Amino acid sequence: MHFENVKLIKKANVYDNGKVSSRTFYLGNGERKTLGFMQAGEYSFNTGAAEIMEMLAGEMEALLPGESEYHLYKEGESFSIPANSSFKVKV
């Protein structure tokens, strides 16, 4: 994956005592993206806007809204989160 002509926001978004962090950047067309990193652990997240989580490396289990069981996602896979919802992950 390669992006050109991006604007990077220097300040990191840090969660769970530094175990989860992300950086926001904008593509040349104005599209907002984030690049996140997670240490091993279990985390809960809330969304305001709809999100697509793309696994660039490693794997994690996710419990998505409306589901009762975790699903394993590996490198190269993705899943969608609706706006104004919450989900859990195990890394």
Side-chain angles (χ1 to χ4, degrees), residues 51-53 55 60 62 64 73 77-81 87 89:
E51 297 185 17
I52 298 173
M53 302 280 290
M55 297 295 300
M60 72 176 166
L64 304 179
Y73 293 92
E77 298 180 327
S78 64
F79 57 92
S80 297
I81 305 296
F87 65 103
V89 298

Side-chain angles (χ1 to χ4, degrees), residues 6 12 14-15 27-30 47 49 55 57-58 61 68 91:
V6 300
V14 180
Y15 310 96
L27 301 179
N29 65 3
T47 64
M55 297 295 300
E61 294 179 272
S68 58
V91 180

